[in-house]
Amino acid sequence: MVGAGQLARMTQQSAIALGVELRVLANTSDESAARVIVDTRLGDYRELADLREFATGCHAITFDHEHVPTEHIRALAADGYAVRPGADALVHAQDKAVMRERLTSFGAPCPAWTRVSGGAADGVSASAAEGVSASGAEGVKEVSAFAAEHGWPVVLKAIRGGYDGRGVWVCRTPAEVEEALSGGVPLMAEAFVPFERELAVLVARSPHGQGVSYPVVETVQQDGICVEVLAPAPGLDPEEAAEAQRIALQIAHELGVTGLLAVEMFQTADGLLVNELAMRPHNSGHWTIDGSRTSQFEQHLRAVLDLPLGSPSMSAPVVVMANLLGGDDPDLFKRYEHVMAHDPGIKLHFYGKEVRPGRKIGHVTAVGDDLETVRARARHAAVYLTTGEYT
Amino acid sequence: MVGAGQLARMTQQSAIALGVELRVLANTSDESAARVIVDTRLGDYRELADLREFATGCHAITFDHEHVPTEHIRALAADGYAVRPGADALVHAQDKAVMRERLTSFGAPCPAWTRVSGGAADGVSASAAEGVSASGAEGVKEVSAFAAEHGWPVVLKAIRGGYDGRGVWVCRTPAEVEEALSGGVPLMAEAFVPFERELAVLVARSPHGQGVSYPVVETVQQDGICVEVLAPAPGLDPEEAAEAQRIALQIAHELGVTGLLAVEMFQTADGLLVNELAMRPHNSGHWTIDGSRTSQFEQHLRAVLDLPLGSPSMSAPVVVMANLLGGDDPDLFKRYEHVMAHDPGIKLHFYGKEVRPGRKIGHVTAVGDDLETVRARARHAAVYLTTGEYT
């Protein structure tokens, strides 16, 4: 697994059970996964030579993040490595313009969108490079024309590299568009979606073509960061849930995904719209560790090793996951005991990371029968752990 | 954790979630836990110097097995380390004569038993040394007298070091007693118990004195080795189940156990009798990884770190665990795919050990609503994986 963040760390828990020997490529030996994986190699995922040395002897290569350059992934595949997901699939999680073009081509429901001129060509994104112009004026004109058709505000998104709300600008005027374009980052424009709530569907697909979908969940964001996941999505119409799963499985199939695919969606009065894709274990699936018979981390390993997939069924009627975002007080461990004593059923997950304000340092999960109770339990634990406040 | 077998390996899965940095003392770097724990130290648990070096910087010391000499445990405690369980508790899991004496003293139900003369003093067991005589003749006489009162057969047990049926002799005649005594190992005698079935109760106790009990399980043995665990024990009368839990919690309290205590019991027509004690995660509790809200490994960490204990409640009405015992074919991984495809809900646990006939190399767990179905699923997976036979 290239990358040694919390996703690789939690993958190790499943690798231990499956008897899979997990190797990670870390930047430094104190990263989240490097602390718990014996076969940690140090190197730079942006350097092909480092990736090649890392890959030697591996049965399959997969990823903890989407930042490995597409051409390096192609080079590893050309070397004969089983890279899962492959470059042709992964590029759709790396490049939002490529993703929108492809999804639109087979009819997956997307917000209205358009490419935007302007933004420096950085050599990384071929699709972005196509749209470069000498000045941002062209881009502002394009976005204004788009807004004339679809209305303000318009959402500008960095085509590559954005996450957790970074790389997204909600622009209400041409002046704000000009401001966003001045960053020099290749952008695309999307219609602002007046959504009712955000949903996520996690599916797995193996090289054999076997597919499996977890129940549709609701994700709750604050300032663009996921703070809470409710499984299953409360009150979701079963037909709409099945439709969400169908869309996610279709995307996995059409793109030839191997491994996990998380599809973030908007639920609107007019139906579902695909927001983002990720091809790896995903924050919206952390609840599966304690709440499903097969955790997403085990599922990802099974899929990338082309093993039969595991049951995605839930181990309780309601599961709520809340992220732990670092607060001002770096010593959250002094509140650890309280949370354990307060609720013997709460499941704590720490990522072995130093606390920094706003940083995801862990998550908690509660399971049970009643949504409001379970949600209150998860929220209490998360809020108390990170702020010391009693909810 | 002193020792790097599968118990330490599975403890690492929970340590990762809790953010606990787990260090193990291994004999060699290819042991089960050493393969998955970054902070593995090599050394000999029989050498105090190695133990002292290992312990330096640890917040608490605990064990993967019961073979660390009692006097070394006392020395570590005298050095100021938090050794959990402590020597005064652990000796009851190391020395069966000491255990029987103590349990009898506070009325825990035990089979009739007696010390037996004979067996070389090995300097390890003070209690055994007391009983040494120049010849085995004295021992044979004592056992015959014991049999005159309690009947043949008589069960002779090595006072120290037996496990998985080793160190136990069921003797039907004085000649068989003489044979068993000729091994030179300090032994004790117990009345043969015509039990209906074997039960096990797993409890945890923290230094604070908080105690928790998992549901009583039935353990199924073959040739003295546990092959199957049924949770909860099918058809067990609720009052007898409560009595079993009461006995186990009382033993934990009386002996001052810190960490887990597994109490193996015989269920007889006349009630429950305590068979063996273990003070660590135990084979009879492996089902908790997939079948309880708190796995025994997490519970052990919480107890030895004096954290509040976790909920022992089950995540399904029925859970069955079956051990994987190595068969003649060392390559069981080629049957791995079949088992996963046959039953997407089966949970596989491998210990990273080379297959040797009879060796515990892993376990499988099935959960569900119906005992016969769940049991058949677990059995199919275990038998097919280890023998290739289809049940």
Side-chain angles (χ1 to χ4, degrees), chain A residues 9 13 16-18 290 293 298 311 315 336 344 347-350, chain B residues 9 13 16-18 290 293 298 311 315 336 344 347 349-350:
Chain A
R9 180 184 174 99
Q13 293 177 287
I16 289 172
L18 293 177
D290 303 301
R293 292 303 169 197
E298 176 178 344
S311 164
S315 71
Y336 198 75
K347 304 316 297 175
L348 300 170
H349 298 266
F350 289 96
Chain B
R9 180 185 175 97
Q13 294 177 288
I16 290 173
L18 293 177
D290 303 301
R293 293 300 169 199
E298 176 178 343
S311 163
S315 71
Y336 197 77
K347 302 317 298 175
H349 298 266
F350 289 96

PDB file of all heavy atoms in Angstrom, chain A residues 9 13 16-18 290 293 298 311 315 336 344 347-350, chain B residues 9 13 16-18 290 293 298 311 315 336 344 347 349-350:
ATOM      1  N   ARG A   9      -3.041   2.251   8.208  1.00  0.00           N
ATOM      2  CA  ARG A   9      -2.989   1.765   9.592  1.00  0.00           C
ATOM      3  C   ARG A   9      -4.153   0.813   9.896  1.00  0.00           C
ATOM      4  O   ARG A   9      -3.968  -0.266  10.442  1.00  0.00           O
ATOM      5  CB  ARG A   9      -3.036   2.963  10.554  1.00  0.00           C
ATOM      6  CG  ARG A   9      -2.989   2.596  12.042  1.00  0.00           C
ATOM      7  CD  ARG A   9      -3.143   3.887  12.874  1.00  0.00           C
ATOM      8  NE  ARG A   9      -3.243   3.625  14.295  1.00  0.00           N
ATOM      9  CZ  ARG A   9      -2.228   3.721  15.156  1.00  0.00           C
ATOM     10  NH1 ARG A   9      -1.025   4.046  14.729  1.00  0.00           N
ATOM     11  NH2 ARG A   9      -2.406   3.484  16.443  1.00  0.00           N
ATOM     12  N   GLN A  13      -4.990  -3.853  10.556  1.00  0.00           N
ATOM     13  CA  GLN A  13      -5.796  -4.671  11.474  1.00  0.00           C
ATOM     14  C   GLN A  13      -6.422  -5.846  10.729  1.00  0.00           C
ATOM     15  O   GLN A  13      -6.496  -6.955  11.250  1.00  0.00           O
ATOM     16  CB  GLN A  13      -6.893  -3.813  12.121  1.00  0.00           C
ATOM     17  CG  GLN A  13      -6.335  -2.746  13.048  1.00  0.00           C
ATOM     18  CD  GLN A  13      -7.433  -1.877  13.617  1.00  0.00           C
ATOM     19  OE1 GLN A  13      -8.013  -1.051  12.922  1.00  0.00           O
ATOM     20  NE2 GLN A  13      -7.733  -2.050  14.899  1.00  0.00           N
ATOM     21  N   ILE A  16      -3.715  -8.481   9.447  1.00  0.00           N
ATOM     22  CA  ILE A  16      -3.287  -9.415  10.497  1.00  0.00           C
ATOM     23  C   ILE A  16      -4.209 -10.632  10.517  1.00  0.00           C
ATOM     24  O   ILE A  16      -3.750 -11.770  10.554  1.00  0.00           O
ATOM     25  CB  ILE A  16      -3.266  -8.704  11.872  1.00  0.00           C
ATOM     26  CG1 ILE A  16      -2.108  -7.694  11.930  1.00  0.00           C
ATOM     27  CG2 ILE A  16      -3.145  -9.720  13.018  1.00  0.00           C
ATOM     28  CD1 ILE A  16      -2.118  -6.802  13.179  1.00  0.00           C
ATOM     29  N   ALA A  17      -5.513 -10.408  10.468  1.00  0.00           N
ATOM     30  CA  ALA A  17      -6.458 -11.526  10.521  1.00  0.00           C
ATOM     31  C   ALA A  17      -6.355 -12.394   9.272  1.00  0.00           C
ATOM     32  O   ALA A  17      -6.344 -13.627   9.362  1.00  0.00           O
ATOM     33  CB  ALA A  17      -7.884 -11.007  10.686  1.00  0.00           C
ATOM     34  N   LEU A  18      -6.268 -11.760   8.118  1.00  0.00           N
ATOM     35  CA  LEU A  18      -6.253 -12.524   6.864  1.00  0.00           C
ATOM     36  C   LEU A  18      -4.917 -13.232   6.635  1.00  0.00           C
ATOM     37  O   LEU A  18      -4.805 -14.048   5.721  1.00  0.00           O
ATOM     38  CB  LEU A  18      -6.550 -11.596   5.677  1.00  0.00           C
ATOM     39  CG  LEU A  18      -7.957 -10.999   5.609  1.00  0.00           C
ATOM     40  CD1 LEU A  18      -8.066 -10.062   4.419  1.00  0.00           C
ATOM     41  CD2 LEU A  18      -9.017 -12.098   5.521  1.00  0.00           C
ATOM     42  N   ASP A 290     -16.675  -1.651  13.122  1.00  0.00           N
ATOM     43  CA  ASP A 290     -17.456  -2.140  14.257  1.00  0.00           C
ATOM     44  C   ASP A 290     -18.886  -2.489  13.885  1.00  0.00           C
ATOM     45  O   ASP A 290     -19.583  -3.139  14.659  1.00  0.00           O
ATOM     46  CB  ASP A 290     -17.480  -1.077  15.364  1.00  0.00           C
ATOM     47  CG  ASP A 290     -16.083  -0.686  15.798  1.00  0.00           C
ATOM     48  OD1 ASP A 290     -15.357  -1.595  16.248  1.00  0.00           O
ATOM     49  OD2 ASP A 290     -15.712   0.484  15.664  1.00  0.00           O
ATOM     50  N   ARG A 293     -20.115  -6.956   9.128  1.00  0.00           N
ATOM     51  CA  ARG A 293     -19.425  -8.248   9.262  1.00  0.00           C
ATOM     52  C   ARG A 293     -18.084  -8.242   8.544  1.00  0.00           C
ATOM     53  O   ARG A 293     -17.194  -9.012   8.879  1.00  0.00           O
ATOM     54  CB  ARG A 293     -20.319  -9.375   8.735  1.00  0.00           C
ATOM     55  CG  ARG A 293     -21.557  -9.615   9.611  1.00  0.00           C
ATOM     56  CD  ARG A 293     -21.201  -9.927  11.038  1.00  0.00           C
ATOM     57  NE  ARG A 293     -22.377  -9.907  11.927  1.00  0.00           N
ATOM     58  CZ  ARG A 293     -22.295  -9.831  13.241  1.00  0.00           C
ATOM     59  NH1 ARG A 293     -21.119  -9.720  13.847  1.00  0.00           N
ATOM     60  NH2 ARG A 293     -23.387  -9.821  13.977  1.00  0.00           N
ATOM     61  N   GLU A 298     -10.802  -4.862   5.342  1.00  0.00           N
ATOM     62  CA  GLU A 298     -10.733  -6.259   4.906  1.00  0.00           C
ATOM     63  C   GLU A 298     -11.254  -6.373   3.473  1.00  0.00           C
ATOM     64  O   GLU A 298     -10.668  -7.061   2.633  1.00  0.00           O
ATOM     65  CB  GLU A 298     -11.570  -7.148   5.837  1.00  0.00           C
ATOM     66  CG  GLU A 298     -11.582  -8.593   5.348  1.00  0.00           C
ATOM     67  CD  GLU A 298     -12.364  -9.544   6.247  1.00  0.00           C
ATOM     68  OE1 GLU A 298     -12.645  -9.179   7.404  1.00  0.00           O
ATOM     69  OE2 GLU A 298     -12.682 -10.649   5.775  1.00  0.00           O
ATOM     70  N   SER A 311     -19.165 -10.411   3.309  1.00  0.00           N
ATOM     71  CA  SER A 311     -20.516  -9.915   3.556  1.00  0.00           C
ATOM     72  C   SER A 311     -20.499  -8.470   4.060  1.00  0.00           C
ATOM     73  O   SER A 311     -19.809  -8.153   5.025  1.00  0.00           O
ATOM     74  CB  SER A 311     -21.190 -10.786   4.618  1.00  0.00           C
ATOM     75  OG  SER A 311     -22.312 -10.115   5.127  1.00  0.00           O
ATOM     76  N   SER A 315     -23.924  -5.344  11.661  1.00  0.00           N
ATOM     77  CA  SER A 315     -23.970  -6.140  12.880  1.00  0.00           C
ATOM     78  C   SER A 315     -24.909  -5.526  13.915  1.00  0.00           C
ATOM     79  O   SER A 315     -24.992  -6.000  15.041  1.00  0.00           O
ATOM     80  CB  SER A 315     -22.565  -6.295  13.467  1.00  0.00           C
ATOM     81  OG  SER A 315     -22.111  -5.082  14.013  1.00  0.00           O
ATOM     82  N   TYR A 336      -9.791  10.234  27.639  1.00  0.00           N
ATOM     83  CA  TYR A 336      -9.958   8.861  27.174  1.00  0.00           C
ATOM     84  C   TYR A 336     -10.720   8.025  28.204  1.00  0.00           C
ATOM     85  O   TYR A 336     -11.683   7.335  27.890  1.00  0.00           O
ATOM     86  CB  TYR A 336      -8.535   8.371  27.060  1.00  0.00           C
ATOM     87  CG  TYR A 336      -8.156   7.180  26.260  1.00  0.00           C
ATOM     88  CD1 TYR A 336      -8.115   7.235  24.876  1.00  0.00           C
ATOM     89  CD2 TYR A 336      -7.726   6.018  26.898  1.00  0.00           C
ATOM     90  CE1 TYR A 336      -7.663   6.141  24.148  1.00  0.00           C
ATOM     91  CE2 TYR A 336      -7.273   4.935  26.178  1.00  0.00           C
ATOM     92  CZ  TYR A 336      -7.240   4.994  24.802  1.00  0.00           C
ATOM     93  OH  TYR A 336      -6.787   3.925  24.106  1.00  0.00           O
ATOM     94  N   PRO A 344     -19.491   2.015  27.992  1.00  0.00           N
ATOM     95  CA  PRO A 344     -18.637   0.834  27.761  1.00  0.00           C
ATOM     96  C   PRO A 344     -18.780   0.268  26.348  1.00  0.00           C
ATOM     97  O   PRO A 344     -17.974  -0.566  25.946  1.00  0.00           O
ATOM     98  CB  PRO A 344     -19.155  -0.184  28.790  1.00  0.00           C
ATOM     99  CG  PRO A 344     -19.942   0.592  29.783  1.00  0.00           C
ATOM    100  CD  PRO A 344     -20.488   1.776  29.041  1.00  0.00           C
ATOM    101  N   LYS A 347     -16.756   2.528  20.692  1.00  0.00           N
ATOM    102  CA  LYS A 347     -15.519   1.994  20.131  1.00  0.00           C
ATOM    103  C   LYS A 347     -14.621   3.162  19.723  1.00  0.00           C
ATOM    104  O   LYS A 347     -15.026   4.042  18.960  1.00  0.00           O
ATOM    105  CB  LYS A 347     -15.792   1.114  18.905  1.00  0.00           C
ATOM    106  CG  LYS A 347     -16.745  -0.049  19.122  1.00  0.00           C
ATOM    107  CD  LYS A 347     -16.523  -0.840  20.393  1.00  0.00           C
ATOM    108  CE  LYS A 347     -15.191  -1.536  20.474  1.00  0.00           C
ATOM    109  NZ  LYS A 347     -15.019  -2.178  21.822  1.00  0.00           N
ATOM    110  N   LEU A 348     -13.412   3.140  20.248  1.00  0.00           N
ATOM    111  CA  LEU A 348     -12.456   4.223  20.007  1.00  0.00           C
ATOM    112  C   LEU A 348     -11.410   3.782  18.987  1.00  0.00           C
ATOM    113  O   LEU A 348     -10.925   2.650  19.042  1.00  0.00           O
ATOM    114  CB  LEU A 348     -11.754   4.583  21.314  1.00  0.00           C
ATOM    115  CG  LEU A 348     -12.669   5.052  22.447  1.00  0.00           C
ATOM    116  CD1 LEU A 348     -11.881   5.138  23.750  1.00  0.00           C
ATOM    117  CD2 LEU A 348     -13.260   6.408  22.102  1.00  0.00           C
ATOM    118  N   HIS A 349     -11.081   4.688  18.105  1.00  0.00           N
ATOM    119  CA  HIS A 349     -10.050   4.411  17.101  1.00  0.00           C
ATOM    120  C   HIS A 349      -9.124   5.612  17.002  1.00  0.00           C
ATOM    121  O   HIS A 349      -9.555   6.698  16.611  1.00  0.00           O
ATOM    122  CB  HIS A 349     -10.691   4.132  15.734  1.00  0.00           C
ATOM    123  CG  HIS A 349     -11.572   2.918  15.739  1.00  0.00           C
ATOM    124  ND1 HIS A 349     -11.119   1.674  15.379  1.00  0.00           N
ATOM    125  CD2 HIS A 349     -12.869   2.757  16.105  1.00  0.00           C
ATOM    126  CE1 HIS A 349     -12.115   0.794  15.505  1.00  0.00           C
ATOM    127  NE2 HIS A 349     -13.178   1.426  15.944  1.00  0.00           N
ATOM    128  N   PHE A 350      -7.891   5.381  17.369  1.00  0.00           N
ATOM    129  CA  PHE A 350      -6.904   6.465  17.297  1.00  0.00           C
ATOM    130  C   PHE A 350      -5.882   6.147  16.214  1.00  0.00           C
ATOM    131  O   PHE A 350      -5.548   4.989  15.988  1.00  0.00           O
ATOM    132  CB  PHE A 350      -6.225   6.657  18.650  1.00  0.00           C
ATOM    133  CG  PHE A 350      -7.154   7.258  19.658  1.00  0.00           C
ATOM    134  CD1 PHE A 350      -7.851   6.458  20.560  1.00  0.00           C
ATOM    135  CD2 PHE A 350      -7.369   8.623  19.677  1.00  0.00           C
ATOM    136  CE1 PHE A 350      -8.742   7.009  21.465  1.00  0.00           C
ATOM    137  CE2 PHE A 350      -8.261   9.182  20.584  1.00  0.00           C
ATOM    138  CZ  PHE A 350      -8.944   8.376  21.480  1.00  0.00           C
TER     139      PHE A 350
ATOM    140  N   ARG B   9      -0.225 -11.388  18.861  1.00  0.00           N
ATOM    141  CA  ARG B   9      -0.560 -10.936  17.497  1.00  0.00           C
ATOM    142  C   ARG B   9      -1.960 -10.326  17.441  1.00  0.00           C
ATOM    143  O   ARG B   9      -2.159  -9.236  16.899  1.00  0.00           O
ATOM    144  CB  ARG B   9      -0.478 -12.127  16.543  1.00  0.00           C
ATOM    145  CG  ARG B   9      -0.801 -11.815  15.079  1.00  0.00           C
ATOM    146  CD  ARG B   9      -0.809 -13.116  14.252  1.00  0.00           C
ATOM    147  NE  ARG B   9      -1.218 -12.922  12.883  1.00  0.00           N
ATOM    148  CZ  ARG B   9      -0.387 -12.773  11.846  1.00  0.00           C
ATOM    149  NH1 ARG B   9       0.913 -12.758  12.050  1.00  0.00           N
ATOM    150  NH2 ARG B   9      -0.838 -12.615  10.617  1.00  0.00           N
ATOM    151  N   GLN B  13      -4.082  -6.035  17.072  1.00  0.00           N
ATOM    152  CA  GLN B  13      -5.224  -5.484  16.339  1.00  0.00           C
ATOM    153  C   GLN B  13      -5.991  -4.487  17.207  1.00  0.00           C
ATOM    154  O   GLN B  13      -6.440  -3.457  16.727  1.00  0.00           O
ATOM    155  CB  GLN B  13      -6.159  -6.609  15.878  1.00  0.00           C
ATOM    156  CG  GLN B  13      -5.524  -7.526  14.838  1.00  0.00           C
ATOM    157  CD  GLN B  13      -6.449  -8.668  14.455  1.00  0.00           C
ATOM    158  OE1 GLN B  13      -6.671  -9.585  15.234  1.00  0.00           O
ATOM    159  NE2 GLN B  13      -6.995  -8.613  13.255  1.00  0.00           N
ATOM    160  N   ILE B  16      -3.848  -1.214  18.038  1.00  0.00           N
ATOM    161  CA  ILE B  16      -3.872  -0.228  16.945  1.00  0.00           C
ATOM    162  C   ILE B  16      -5.060   0.712  17.126  1.00  0.00           C
ATOM    163  O   ILE B  16      -4.932   1.931  17.023  1.00  0.00           O
ATOM    164  CB  ILE B  16      -3.925  -0.947  15.578  1.00  0.00           C
ATOM    165  CG1 ILE B  16      -2.582  -1.639  15.293  1.00  0.00           C
ATOM    166  CG2 ILE B  16      -4.292   0.026  14.461  1.00  0.00           C
ATOM    167  CD1 ILE B  16      -2.587  -2.522  14.043  1.00  0.00           C
ATOM    168  N   ALA B  17      -6.237   0.148  17.417  1.00  0.00           N
ATOM    169  CA  ALA B  17      -7.432   0.988  17.567  1.00  0.00           C
ATOM    170  C   ALA B  17      -7.320   1.892  18.790  1.00  0.00           C
ATOM    171  O   ALA B  17      -7.646   3.074  18.724  1.00  0.00           O
ATOM    172  CB  ALA B  17      -8.686   0.117  17.664  1.00  0.00           C
ATOM    173  N   LEU B  18      -6.856   1.341  19.892  1.00  0.00           N
ATOM    174  CA  LEU B  18      -6.808   2.110  21.138  1.00  0.00           C
ATOM    175  C   LEU B  18      -5.678   3.143  21.134  1.00  0.00           C
ATOM    176  O   LEU B  18      -5.600   3.973  22.031  1.00  0.00           O
ATOM    177  CB  LEU B  18      -6.635   1.165  22.339  1.00  0.00           C
ATOM    178  CG  LEU B  18      -7.814   0.235  22.649  1.00  0.00           C
ATOM    179  CD1 LEU B  18      -7.459  -0.677  23.824  1.00  0.00           C
ATOM    180  CD2 LEU B  18      -9.084   1.031  22.963  1.00  0.00           C
ATOM    181  N   ASP B 290     -15.096 -11.216  16.657  1.00  0.00           N
ATOM    182  CA  ASP B 290     -16.167 -10.967  15.693  1.00  0.00           C
ATOM    183  C   ASP B 290     -17.552 -10.987  16.334  1.00  0.00           C
ATOM    184  O   ASP B 290     -18.517 -10.562  15.715  1.00  0.00           O
ATOM    185  CB  ASP B 290     -16.123 -12.028  14.585  1.00  0.00           C
ATOM    186  CG  ASP B 290     -14.775 -12.062  13.893  1.00  0.00           C
ATOM    187  OD1 ASP B 290     -14.394 -11.027  13.343  1.00  0.00           O
ATOM    188  OD2 ASP B 290     -14.108 -13.109  13.942  1.00  0.00           O
ATOM    189  N   ARG B 293     -18.972  -6.875  21.350  1.00  0.00           N
ATOM    190  CA  ARG B 293     -18.684  -5.454  21.126  1.00  0.00           C
ATOM    191  C   ARG B 293     -17.266  -5.108  21.574  1.00  0.00           C
ATOM    192  O   ARG B 293     -16.676  -4.128  21.132  1.00  0.00           O
ATOM    193  CB  ARG B 293     -19.716  -4.576  21.830  1.00  0.00           C
ATOM    194  CG  ARG B 293     -21.115  -4.701  21.211  1.00  0.00           C
ATOM    195  CD  ARG B 293     -21.145  -4.299  19.750  1.00  0.00           C
ATOM    196  NE  ARG B 293     -22.410  -4.658  19.091  1.00  0.00           N
ATOM    197  CZ  ARG B 293     -22.549  -4.753  17.763  1.00  0.00           C
ATOM    198  NH1 ARG B 293     -21.507  -4.542  16.961  1.00  0.00           N
ATOM    199  NH2 ARG B 293     -23.696  -5.077  17.234  1.00  0.00           N
ATOM    200  N   GLU B 298      -8.888  -6.439  23.295  1.00  0.00           N
ATOM    201  CA  GLU B 298      -9.094  -5.063  23.744  1.00  0.00           C
ATOM    202  C   GLU B 298      -9.360  -5.040  25.249  1.00  0.00           C
ATOM    203  O   GLU B 298      -8.825  -4.199  25.977  1.00  0.00           O
ATOM    204  CB  GLU B 298     -10.290  -4.436  23.005  1.00  0.00           C
ATOM    205  CG  GLU B 298     -10.588  -3.036  23.518  1.00  0.00           C
ATOM    206  CD  GLU B 298     -11.730  -2.322  22.797  1.00  0.00           C
ATOM    207  OE1 GLU B 298     -12.120  -2.741  21.697  1.00  0.00           O
ATOM    208  OE2 GLU B 298     -12.228  -1.326  23.372  1.00  0.00           O
ATOM    209  N   SER B 311     -17.866  -3.143  26.966  1.00  0.00           N
ATOM    210  CA  SER B 311     -19.067  -3.981  26.967  1.00  0.00           C
ATOM    211  C   SER B 311     -18.772  -5.377  26.433  1.00  0.00           C
ATOM    212  O   SER B 311     -18.205  -5.530  25.359  1.00  0.00           O
ATOM    213  CB  SER B 311     -20.128  -3.330  26.080  1.00  0.00           C
ATOM    214  OG  SER B 311     -21.122  -4.288  25.756  1.00  0.00           O
ATOM    215  N   SER B 315     -22.639  -9.466  19.534  1.00  0.00           N
ATOM    216  CA  SER B 315     -23.117  -8.728  18.360  1.00  0.00           C
ATOM    217  C   SER B 315     -24.035  -9.591  17.502  1.00  0.00           C
ATOM    218  O   SER B 315     -24.432  -9.173  16.419  1.00  0.00           O
ATOM    219  CB  SER B 315     -21.929  -8.235  17.536  1.00  0.00           C
ATOM    220  OG  SER B 315     -21.282  -9.309  16.891  1.00  0.00           O
ATOM    221  N   TYR B 336      -8.213 -21.317   0.808  1.00  0.00           N
ATOM    222  CA  TYR B 336      -8.646 -20.024   1.342  1.00  0.00           C
ATOM    223  C   TYR B 336      -9.770 -19.428   0.481  1.00  0.00           C
ATOM    224  O   TYR B 336     -10.810 -19.002   0.994  1.00  0.00           O
ATOM    225  CB  TYR B 336      -7.387 -19.180   1.217  1.00  0.00           C
ATOM    226  CG  TYR B 336      -7.202 -17.909   1.943  1.00  0.00           C
ATOM    227  CD1 TYR B 336      -6.873 -17.906   3.294  1.00  0.00           C
ATOM    228  CD2 TYR B 336      -7.237 -16.694   1.259  1.00  0.00           C
ATOM    229  CE1 TYR B 336      -6.592 -16.703   3.925  1.00  0.00           C
ATOM    230  CE2 TYR B 336      -6.958 -15.509   1.891  1.00  0.00           C
ATOM    231  CZ  TYR B 336      -6.639 -15.518   3.229  1.00  0.00           C
ATOM    232  OH  TYR B 336      -6.362 -14.327   3.853  1.00  0.00           O
ATOM    233  N   PRO B 344     -19.585 -15.849   2.480  1.00  0.00           N
ATOM    234  CA  PRO B 344     -19.045 -14.483   2.579  1.00  0.00           C
ATOM    235  C   PRO B 344     -19.061 -13.935   4.004  1.00  0.00           C
ATOM    236  O   PRO B 344     -18.452 -12.911   4.280  1.00  0.00           O
ATOM    237  CB  PRO B 344     -19.976 -13.657   1.685  1.00  0.00           C
ATOM    238  CG  PRO B 344     -20.703 -14.649   0.831  1.00  0.00           C
ATOM    239  CD  PRO B 344     -20.795 -15.911   1.633  1.00  0.00           C
ATOM    240  N   LYS B 347     -15.510 -15.476   9.140  1.00  0.00           N
ATOM    241  CA  LYS B 347     -14.368 -14.627   9.467  1.00  0.00           C
ATOM    242  C   LYS B 347     -13.140 -15.509   9.667  1.00  0.00           C
ATOM    243  O   LYS B 347     -13.150 -16.441  10.475  1.00  0.00           O
ATOM    244  CB  LYS B 347     -14.621 -13.820  10.750  1.00  0.00           C
ATOM    245  CG  LYS B 347     -15.855 -12.921  10.719  1.00  0.00           C
ATOM    246  CD  LYS B 347     -16.080 -12.128   9.464  1.00  0.00           C
ATOM    247  CE  LYS B 347     -14.995 -11.134   9.139  1.00  0.00           C
ATOM    248  NZ  LYS B 347     -15.247 -10.485   7.808  1.00  0.00           N
ATOM    249  N   HIS B 349      -9.080 -16.034  10.572  1.00  0.00           N
ATOM    250  CA  HIS B 349      -7.986 -15.475  11.372  1.00  0.00           C
ATOM    251  C   HIS B 349      -6.778 -16.390  11.261  1.00  0.00           C
ATOM    252  O   HIS B 349      -6.840 -17.548  11.702  1.00  0.00           O
ATOM    253  CB  HIS B 349      -8.408 -15.339  12.834  1.00  0.00           C
ATOM    254  CG  HIS B 349      -9.557 -14.395  13.024  1.00  0.00           C
ATOM    255  ND1 HIS B 349      -9.378 -13.064  13.333  1.00  0.00           N
ATOM    256  CD2 HIS B 349     -10.890 -14.569  12.905  1.00  0.00           C
ATOM    257  CE1 HIS B 349     -10.566 -12.466  13.404  1.00  0.00           C
ATOM    258  NE2 HIS B 349     -11.500 -13.365  13.154  1.00  0.00           N
ATOM    259  N   PHE B 350      -5.740 -15.883  10.677  1.00  0.00           N
ATOM    260  CA  PHE B 350      -4.510 -16.667  10.548  1.00  0.00           C
ATOM    261  C   PHE B 350      -3.424 -16.074  11.432  1.00  0.00           C
ATOM    262  O   PHE B 350      -3.361 -14.868  11.625  1.00  0.00           O
ATOM    263  CB  PHE B 350      -4.070 -16.710   9.081  1.00  0.00           C
ATOM    264  CG  PHE B 350      -4.992 -17.560   8.247  1.00  0.00           C
ATOM    265  CD1 PHE B 350      -6.028 -16.980   7.522  1.00  0.00           C
ATOM    266  CD2 PHE B 350      -4.846 -18.930   8.221  1.00  0.00           C
ATOM    267  CE1 PHE B 350      -6.905 -17.761   6.787  1.00  0.00           C
ATOM    268  CE2 PHE B 350      -5.723 -19.720   7.487  1.00  0.00           C
ATOM    269  CZ  PHE B 350      -6.744 -19.139   6.763  1.00  0.00           C
TER     270      PHE B 350
END
